[in-house]
Every structure is written in structure tokens, then in C-alpha cells.
Amino acid sequence: MTTVEMPPARSVPEHTGSRLTRALGGAVLVTWTLWLLWGLVLSPADVVQHESVRLFYLHVPMAIMSSVTFSITLIGSIMVLRNGSVFWDLMAGVAAEIGVMFLGLVIATGAVWGKPTWGTYWEWDPRLTTAALMFLVYLGYLVIRRLDMDPVVRARRAAVFGIVAFINVPLTRFSVQIWNSLHQETTISLTDTQMDGAQLTSYALGMLAMATFLAWLLVHRFRVAWLEHAMDESGLEKLIRDRRAEGAANEPGGVR
Amino acid sequence: MNRLVADAWRIARKDLAIERSSRVVGSQILPFGIVMLLLFAFGVDPELQVRGGERSILAEIAPGLFWITVLLALLLVSGRSFAVESDDGSLDALLVSGVHPGSILAGKTLVVAIQLALLEVVVGAGSMLLFGVRVDDPLHLLVVMLSTTVALAGAGTLLLAVVAGYSGRDTLGPLLVLPSMAPVLIGATAASGAALYGTGSDGAAWTWALVAFALLYGAAGIVSAGALLEDV
């Protein structure tokens, strides 16, 4: 029986860390510390929303980051259909995973904020309803990515759905303007900022903290996905080599 | 371009011939619409009046109920459209024969739209008879129904093509189609309400949005058909 050697162990990294992720991890620690300090201690309670305003520093940055991740999924999906890129297929998938996680937390923190502010955890408000629908649509996207079928076919189908699903992102973003919504309109924009002082600093730190956290998560999760892909590929190659070796051994005059 | 359209028309005629011989629309899809109307009347008290006794609550919410019925029927019709192809490998034969995947998807979209339109006529007539629905602006309603039907058929065919050939498509299909179609459902309900009763100030905006949805999903289907239908 012919033995087939496994690829050398050094070709597969033992972890997903690198100088880049350690730098990003350090930035996450610093920005989160500053954000928690300003958001929970240094900034005052709001005149209208009282202490619940502190959820705003978490809720809004997470909502923006979820839109960023779904945009990455859109770009990745287009690239998959253009050139069948494995890199972009994996990137689209991991971005959607993180986006769904962020969006789930956005809905949860919104419900916690809604109870003291609106008197209810859930309201059939356009922003809440479209966000919940977007959550379900991207869950569907993640289900497609786990279908038991040929990886290339699955990547193409997920890419088509990833592009169609994106229509929910602008719809959710502009739902407050389209319908008469209970949800407050944009508080911060480039031309009109309705916050100042420690509140604005807390919000800016929240954005920075979430952006670095997203980058850190994205790099690590992508590397895990890449390693899984490499393992699947090497496992398949090993199986093919084994079958060929068995075939050669069973031929007359083959190795016994 | 001419060949794309001609092939799409051939696919549509083939599917229409299959539907005519199987009689699924007449014996299953249309009765499904009538059953839904009756269920709504059981679930919501038809005697309840709104707007100072101007009309029944069923007539008031009829636009939403109407489009929910059409949306659910879309799952049946679109799912069946691909099942007849992928179960016996005839889709492979079509692709090997040189038919552009876009033509296949466009032809199927057309047949799904025709079946939905038939259902809409029956459910619409039923709503007028049973719920007391009246129409203020028939032309506006026609535009709404046409654009929504094309949008639903285009998107339903496109999204169910994503799971075509997969053994769990019957359960996964609704998970993909129903939330994805929510924007169309919301727009169709608002625009239909405006056409029926003149309610709401954004009926025209939603009608334009529906036309945009129809063009968007139709174009997306033709552009992405190659990526979806190969290797079904």
C-alpha cells in the first residue's frame, strides 16, 4: 500500500494572529476603554432621554457598522460573479456573519432603549420593522452559504442573493424619511450635528471603538474561513491522491 | 437580443403548455386564493365597521390581505416552475441546446406573472363581492397590479432559482422569498390603498417605486441567470 504524505505542517498557520491583528487588538482595547470612560462616566445624562442616552453611543455605531459589513458583502458578491474570486466569496460571507451579529445587537439594544423611552420593547415602527426584515434576509444569506452543494455553485448563488439582499440596507436607512416614523431621524450628519461636548465625544469614541472592533473581527474571522477553505481543499486533494494510489496498487503489476 | 426574446417566448409557451395540461392553476392555485379569502373572513369579523361605518374592516385591510395571498401563491407557482425543470434534468438539456439562461429565467418569469395575474383577477373579484371593496381609480390600480405582479414574479423566480435543485428548497425558499419581498408588499399595499380609497398621500410615490422594483428584479434575473442556472 502506497502511503501519501500530508502537506508539511508549516504550510498551515497555527493561529490567526499577526502583527496587524495585535496592533488592531491594542487599538480596540484603547478605544473601548476611552469609550466606556466617556460614555458611562464622563458624559452627562441627557435632558430628555436621561441615562438611556448612553445606549445611543453603542446602538448607533453598531447600526452603522452593520451597514458597512453588508456593503462589503455586496462588493464581495459582485466580485464573485465577475471573476469567481475565492477571497471575495469568503470575505462576503464573514462580513455578513459579523453584520448579522451587529444587527442582532442593534435590535436588542434598541428594544432595551425603547422600554424607558417609548414605554415598550417593540413597536411596529418602519425603522424597527425594516431592520428586523433585513436581519431575516441576511440570515437567509448565511443559510445559503451553508448549503450542502458544490462550493463554486454555492458561491455563485450566495453572490446573487447577496446582491439582491442589499436593497434592504438603503430601505432601512431611509425608512425614517420615507414613512412617518416613531424612530428619531438622523442625529449626526456632516452638515447638522445635534450633539456637542462630552456627548459628541462619547459618540465619536463609540464609532472609533466599533470600527476598530469590526476590523479586528473581520481579519480574524476571514483568516479562520481561509484556513477552513485550505483544509477542505487539502483534504480533497489528499482523498484524490489516496484513490489514485489505491487504483495504481490494484492494477496488475502495481504496488502491493 | 432578438434571440433572447424569441427563446424566452418559446420557454414561456412550453411552460404554459405544461400548465394547461396539468391544470394546476385552475385546480389548485385559484382555489387557494378563494380559500384564503374565506379564511380572512373567518379570522377578521366582517361585521366590524371602520371610519364611522363607511366600510368594513375587511374592506379597509383588503389591499394587505390581497397581496399577502398573492405573495403566498408566488411560492407555490415559482417553486413549481423550477421543479418541473430540475427534477428530470430538462434544464440541463435546455442549457446544452444553447438557450441563454436569461431567456429561461425571463420565460419562466412571464409564465409566473400570467398565473399570478389570473389569481389576482379571481381574488380581486372575490374581495369586491365578499368584502365590499370598491375602486376609486381603476387605471391607477391597474398600473399597481401590473408592476407588482412583474416585480413579484421576477424576484420570486430569481430567488427560487437560487435554491433550484437543492433538496431542501421547499423549506428554504419561503425563508428567502418572504422577507426579501417585504418592500414590494409594503409598496403594493400602500399604492393599492391609494387606488382603492384615495387614502394616503404617498400612493403615487409607491407606484413609481413598484415600477422600479419590477425593472430592477427583471433585469437582475436576466443578468444573473447564467450564474444561477448552470449546474442546477
Side-chain angles (χ1 to χ4, degrees):
Chain A
M1 172 110 183
T2 309
T3 54
V4 179
E5 286 182 14
M6 288 287 287
R10 62 185 166 78
S11 68
V12 180
E14 291 177 350
H15 53 78
T16 60
S18 65
R19 196 174 292 171
L20 170 71
T21 54
R22 279 189 283 279
L24 272 174
V28 170
L29 280 177
V30 171
T31 51
W32 274 60
T33 306
L34 290 173
W35 169 49
L36 291 172
L37 185 66
W38 252 269
L40 296 179
V41 182
L42 297 180
S43 69
D46 188 65
V47 178
V48 179
Q49 298 182 32
H50 309 294
E51 295 295 340
S52 67
V53 74
R54 300 185 197 284
L55 270 171
F56 172 90
Y57 311 136
L58 172 70
H59 177 80
V60 179
M62 279 197 306
I64 292 171
M65 292 309 143
S66 72
S67 297
V68 170
T69 57
F70 295 143
S71 303
I72 296 172
T73 301
L74 172 73
I75 295 166
S77 301
I78 292 169
M79 295 306 288
V80 169
L81 292 183
R82 276 189 63 170
N83 56 21
S85 162
V86 174
F87 172 90
W88 279 110
D89 174 48
L90 297 176
M91 183 58 86
V94 301
E97 280 178 14
I98 296 169
V100 165
M101 181 197 75
F102 271 127
L103 188 56
L105 289 170
V106 167
I107 294 169
T109 52
V112 173
W113 179 87
K115 183 64 179 170
T117 312
W118 294 343
T120 175
Y121 286 111
W122 183 263
E123 187 67 39
W124 289 105
D125 171 82
R127 172 61 68 81
L128 275 64
T129 310
T130 49
L133 284 168
M134 183 159 71
F135 182 76
L136 291 171
V137 167
Y138 278 95
L139 271 185
Y141 172 81
L142 294 181
V143 172
I144 294 173
R145 295 195 61 85
R146 280 158 184 75
L147 291 185
D148 184 20
M149 56 170 63
D150 178 70
V152 176
V153 176
R154 188 178 54 207
R156 283 205 300 258
R157 293 183 178 201
V160 170
F161 193 75
I163 294 170
V164 173
F166 189 77
I167 196 170
N168 287 275
V169 175
L171 189 79
T172 304
R173 168 68 182 79
F174 295 110
S175 59
V176 178
Q177 282 86 14
I178 296 172
W179 294 282
N180 291 324
S181 174
L182 189 61
H183 195 283
Q184 70 193 71
E185 291 198 22
T186 306
T187 309
I188 299 263
S189 72
L190 291 173
T191 52
D192 181 24
T193 302
Q194 297 169 31
M195 286 193 300
D196 53 19
Q199 283 191 337
L200 184 60
T201 308
S202 302
Y203 173 74
L205 284 169
M207 285 296 297
L208 207 57
M210 281 299 148
T212 49
F213 183 49
L214 167 63
W216 181 80
L217 266 181
L218 204 59
V219 173
H220 274 295
R221 183 64 190 92
F222 176 79
R223 285 177 177 172
V224 170
W226 187 263
L227 288 173
E228 284 172 350
H229 171 74
M231 266 184 63
D232 288 345
E233 291 284 302
S234 66
L236 188 65
E237 280 171 16
K238 182 181 178 302
L239 279 174
I240 292 168
R241 285 200 302 258
D242 285 352
R243 290 301 297 272
R244 281 184 180 156
E246 276 178 28
N250 290 334
E251 277 177 14
V255 181
R256 300 249 172 206
Chain B
M1 185 65 187
N2 282 343
R3 173 139 186 238
L4 193 97
V5 175
D7 281 351
W9 179 237
R10 279 193 200 96
I11 297 289
R13 276 172 44 205
K14 172 189 77 68
D15 278 13
L16 282 173
I18 292 172
E19 292 305 333
R20 222 179 2 250
S21 64
S22 69
R23 296 177 182 173
V24 167
V25 175
S27 63
Q28 293 171 30
I29 305 296
L30 299 182
F32 167 78
I34 296 166
V35 167
M36 289 295 287
L37 283 180
L38 295 177
L39 283 177
F40 289 140
F42 293 147
V44 181
D45 185 356
E47 301 301 319
L48 274 178
Q49 301 286 310
V50 291
R51 298 185 187 272
E54 192 183 329
R55 52 182 170 260
S56 71
I57 191 166
L58 269 173
E60 181 75 9
I61 62 173
L65 301 180
F66 177 88
W67 289 116
I68 286 172
T69 304
V70 176
L71 186 56
L72 293 176
L74 171 72
L75 294 172
L76 304 176
V77 174
S78 296
R80 188 179 143 66
S81 175
F82 277 102
V84 295
E85 299 288 5
S86 52
D87 285 350
D88 59 4
S90 59
L91 197 56
D92 290 338
L94 281 173
L95 291 167
V96 169
S97 69
V99 176
H100 190 278
S103 297
I104 299 174
L105 218 65
K108 291 198 167 296
T109 300
L110 179 62
V111 174
V112 169
I114 290 170
Q115 294 177 78
L116 290 183
L118 282 174
L119 176 78
E120 287 166 21
V121 169
V122 171
V123 176
S127 301
M128 293 172 86
L129 280 172
L130 300 174
F131 300 164
V133 170
R134 59 176 175 74
V135 183
D136 261 11
D137 189 344
L139 190 64
H140 184 189
L141 186 64
L142 188 66
V143 174
V144 171
M145 287 175 77
L146 271 176
S147 47
T148 308
T149 305
V150 175
L152 288 178
T157 312
L158 172 68
L159 295 174
L160 286 172
V162 169
V163 288
Y166 173 63
S167 56
R169 62 180 178 248
D170 292 340
T171 44
L172 181 55
L175 177 66
L176 300 183
V177 173
L178 295 178
S180 301
M181 288 298 87
V184 179
L185 180 70
I186 293 166
T189 303
S192 303
L196 290 180
Y197 307 123
T199 53
S201 56
D202 46 5
W206 274 118
T207 307
W208 282 113
L210 288 169
V211 173
F213 281 137
L215 293 173
L216 187 76
Y217 285 122
I222 291 171
V223 169
S224 60
L228 286 175
L229 296 185
E230 286 169 13
D231 311 305
V232 167

